[in-house]
Amino acid sequence: MELKKIVTFLLAAVVATSCRNADVTPIHPGTVVLPVKLKTKNESKPLRMSDIFEDVSYVYLDDSDGESLIGKISDIRITDGGIYVGDAFNNIVLQFDKSGKFIRSFSHHGRGRGEYVSMMGFDVCGRTGKVSIYDMATHRVCVYSPEDEFLYYVPIGDDVPRDFAVLDNGDYIFFTHDYMQGVKRGIWQVDSTGVFKRQIMTMDDDYLFNGGLFPRYFHHYGDQVYTSATEYRNELYMIGADTAFVAYQLDVDIKIPKSVRRNPVALMENHIGSVYSIFNYMETETWMTVSLTDMEKQVVLFYDKKTKKCHYVETDDDIEYDVPNIGRMTTATKDAIIGVLTPDYIMAFKALQNQFPTISENSNPVLAICKTK
């Protein structure tokens, strides 16, 4: 039962793996090297969730008016303006205040001015409160005021990003690891009008494989944005308006074969144990977590920034779930990890039904705000 809880907390997809404590030594100043072993078993004392979290509180997302019912949460962004939720099912962005009260929706379906066809992702500028929605169908970002008035488009051209983020100065960063001749790969930055400014991370044209499992790559950390560079470099980046550096490097004990690296349609299921995927990178001021899997096992890495120690989770015995249930980890702020408890998840556990007696299958999800120590 405990493993089911932690798997839901971290991914809600694959099964969790390895555990050990280790000191880490940077390869060069400013970069922390984190060893990750997918091929061998590691032994260590159990990691207690109470060592990570000092407090867990819950936010009920209001659905009383019938217009704010969430179909499926694809992403969450928390700013001074409140809680913004991307609803992948209804193709809209919903804004709530910090207590969970519904404020407004950003919903403009269509092909007219200020409208979008398909919401691939969204973000909110922490400084201005402007809401940006990436329309993959029309290759542009639609930008709206905090009050939901259409402002302008940011053109993307022929590029097809997997994810994007808005920096506090109004610039945009984009990321794709898919190979298509003639389009940009890696991470690049444009200004608020779409004019190219710099390439932050490049990818070799001979490296075509990607094992990405998680659709969201960018998360916010104060006025910076962080992301993993997938399996190409095994690097985790921190990006600001005028800065970019490798915060962590993952030292993985699997080297993806050249034949697979050069195959743009290689499926992980066909190479179980010989390839891996990096996903679920989350960071607060005091803790960092990232997951890897080779489809045979999954390693969930927790890095304690205070003690400079790594903790790896593999089995039920590797973790002690001694804090209130926090559901599926979805995003983070500088001082908290945000979990999502969906109605079906709550209804599956008697204890959660007792804890949230007003939740039904037609309710909105509950957010768990997990303050890190």
Side-chain angles (χ1 to χ4, degrees):
M1 184 61 69
E2 296 300 328
L3 182 59
K4 290 181 180 178
K5 290 181 182 178
I6 191 61
V7 169
T8 304
F9 157 62
L10 290 166
L11 172 67
V14 226
V15 180
T17 58
S18 167
C19 173
R20 88 196 215 351
N21 293 322
D23 288 306
V24 291
T25 305
I27 280 181
H28 56 79
T31 298
V32 178
V33 180
L34 303 175
V36 180
K37 294 184 178 180
L38 285 162
K39 288 303 183 184
T40 59
K41 172 71 177 178
N42 297 285
E43 303 293 340
S44 75
K45 295 180 180 179
L47 172 64
R48 296 181 301 174
M49 288 291 97
S50 60
D51 290 337
I52 302 175
F53 303 117
E54 68 176 5
D55 178 67
V56 178
S57 59
Y58 297 95
V59 175
Y60 293 73
L61 297 178
D62 177 30
D63 60 359
S64 58
D65 60 1
E67 297 182 3
S68 56
L69 188 63
I70 299 169
K72 179 182 178 182
I73 291 180
S74 57
D75 195 15
I76 297 172
R77 176 85 162 97
I78 299 179
T79 72
D80 291 340
I83 301 169
Y84 298 80
V85 175
D87 184 343
F89 183 81
N90 293 309
N91 214 27
I92 62 176
V93 175
L94 300 171
Q95 181 185 6
F96 302 84
D97 68 17
K98 295 293 183 66
S99 69
K101 182 180 179 180
F102 176 66
I103 299 177
R104 64 174 58 87
S105 64
F106 296 78
S107 176
H108 301 275
H109 301 159
R111 293 186 177 273
R113 177 172 170 77
E115 296 179 331
Y116 57 87
V117 177
S118 176
M119 184 181 74
M120 179 69 174
F122 85 96
D123 201 3
V124 182
C125 180
R127 181 176 57 85
T128 65
K130 294 177 182 178
V131 175
S132 297
I133 295 178
Y134 168 34
D135 183 1
M136 186 175 181
T138 60
H139 293 267
R140 62 190 181 189
V141 174
C142 302
V143 184
Y144 305 92
S145 74
E147 294 76 31
D148 193 29
E149 296 178 0
F150 174 69
L151 299 175
Y152 51 86
Y153 295 116
V154 179
I156 301 176
D158 294 328
D159 297 309
V160 187
R162 278 292 191 97
D163 199 8
F164 84 104
V166 185
L167 298 173
D168 272 13
N169 70 340
D171 286 357
Y172 290 80
I173 53 176
F174 297 94
F175 177 39
T176 184
H177 46 69
D178 302 293
Y179 180 80
M180 286 182 289
Q181 192 169 8
V183 303
K184 289 190 283 292
R185 300 177 74 207
I187 304 171
W188 68 96
Q189 181 176 344
V190 303
D191 68 15
S192 60
T193 67
V195 175
F196 179 84
K197 293 183 72 172
R198 61 170 174 161
Q199 189 79 22
I200 296 171
M201 188 273 288
T202 60
M203 292 185 68
D204 191 327
D205 285 346
D206 288 335
Y207 193 98
L208 309 183
F209 169 78
N210 78 78
L213 290 177
F214 203 61
R216 304 302 298 170
Y217 293 94
F218 291 123
H219 295 280
H220 287 265
Y221 183 86
D223 60 357
Q224 296 179 304
V225 172
Y226 60 89
T227 186
S228 66
T230 71
E231 304 74 31
Y232 173 58
R233 295 180 183 271
N234 290 343
E235 293 171 343
L236 308 182
Y237 286 80
M238 190 70 72
I239 302 168
D242 301 305
T243 61
F245 61 92
V246 178
Y248 306 95
Q249 186 171 65
L250 304 178
D251 182 13
V252 187
D253 64 346
I254 292 178
K255 185 174 180 60
I256 298 175
K258 287 184 178 180
S259 59
V260 178
R261 295 203 302 267
R262 294 173 177 172
N263 187 347
V265 294
L267 300 177
M268 286 192 66
E269 306 88 77
N270 298 334
H271 304 279
I272 294 174
S274 63
V275 300
Y276 59 92
S277 182
I278 302 170
F279 57 100
N280 273 18
Y281 170 30
M282 305 281 177
E283 184 153 5
T284 70
E285 285 186 328
T286 53
W287 283 87
M288 185 276 280
T289 182
V290 65
S291 300
L292 297 90
T293 183
D294 63 0
M295 298 300 288
E296 288 183 325
K297 75 175 186 179
Q298 177 189 332
V299 171
V300 181
L301 184 158
F302 293 90
Y303 175 65
D304 186 341
K305 297 182 183 180
K306 304 181 300 296
T307 65
K308 312 300 182 185
K309 295 284 187 178
C310 298
H311 306 266
Y312 300 81
V313 175
E314 177 180 354
T315 68
D316 288 344
D317 297 331
D318 297 332
I319 196 157
E320 185 178 335
Y321 205 94
D322 56 349
V323 300
N325 200 311
I326 62 177
R328 175 174 59 88
M329 185 172 65
T330 301
T331 191
T333 64
K334 287 193 76 171
D335 64 350
I337 288 175
I338 314 302
V340 174
L341 291 85
T342 58
D344 58 336
Y345 181 76
I346 292 173
M347 300 299 287
F349 296 95
K350 187 65 177 177
L352 287 178
Q353 292 179 45
N354 294 335
Q355 185 177 358
F356 305 108
T358 63
I359 297 297
S360 71
E361 60 183 9
N362 296 319
S363 298
N364 270 343
V366 175
L367 301 188
I369 313 299
C370 315
K371 299 287 186 180
T372 51
K373 290 184 173 179

